[in-house]
């Protein structure tokens, strides 16, 4: 099993989640986060002067999937989160050793 962690623009979340569901990947944890990457924030110009914003709002998606679905999941996220501008996000793939359900005694070893 793998965990896909995707940091994307908040306005693209619904598009990505709908596309993942269409690919039969319904389980996702969504968290609002703030951060910065290569763009190092943004500078906004107002009448009173410039304002530097160091961290930007992003959304983190966490998805645990079988190894066989990794490429499809990454492709789906890229296709539906991409705007072509800096700040579109990043995707990480992490190993998952095991998963256990709280309600039942079910346990899956990755």
């Amino acid at each position: 099993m793998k965990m896909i962690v995707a940091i994307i623009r908040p306005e693209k979340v619904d598009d990505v989640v709908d596309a993942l569901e269409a690919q039969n990947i319904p389980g996702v944890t969504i968290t609002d986060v703030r951060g910065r990457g290569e763009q190092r924030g943004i500078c906004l110009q107002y009448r009173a002067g410039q304002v530097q914003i160091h961290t930007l709002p992003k959304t983190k998606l966490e998805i645990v999937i079988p190894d066989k679905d990794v490429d499809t999941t990454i492709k789906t996220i890229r296709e539906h989160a991409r705007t072509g501008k800096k700040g579109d996000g990043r995707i990480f793939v992490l190993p998952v050793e095991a998963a256990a359900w709280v309600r039942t005694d079910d346990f899956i070893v990755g």
Side-chain angles (χ1 to χ4, degrees):
M1 286 186 296
K2 301 289 186 202
M3 176 182 282
I4 304 291
V5 178
I7 310 295
I8 64 172
R9 294 175 183 270
E11 63 269 20
K12 301 302 277 182
V13 172
D14 290 339
D15 294 342
V16 171
V17 171
D18 291 345
L20 289 170
E21 192 168 333
Q23 293 288 332
N24 203 26
I25 302 170
V28 61
T29 299
I30 302 170
T31 309
D32 291 328
V33 296
R34 294 189 60 81
R36 69 183 210 176
E38 291 179 15
Q39 68 190 116
R40 296 186 177 107
I42 59 173
C43 185
L44 300 175
Q45 181 69 39
Y46 295 102
R47 282 189 230 178
Q50 292 184 349
V51 176
Q52 183 71 28
I53 299 175
H54 297 286
T55 60
L56 300 171
K58 299 290 181 183
T59 301
K60 179 167 69 171
L61 307 178
E62 296 170 299
I63 308 152
V64 177
I65 54 171
D67 291 346
K68 67 179 179 58
D69 293 335
V70 170
D71 292 337
T72 303
T73 303
I74 291 173
K75 181 180 176 187
T76 301
I77 293 168
R78 280 182 169 159
E79 286 177 2
H80 293 87
R82 182 177 287 153
T83 68
K85 300 175 186 169
K86 279 192 174 189
D88 275 351
R90 189 74 51 98
I91 301 171
F92 304 95
V93 180
L94 308 166
V96 175
E97 293 183 22
W101 279 260
V102 174
R103 184 179 56 87
T104 65
D105 290 333
D106 293 341
F107 190 80
I108 297 174
V109 176

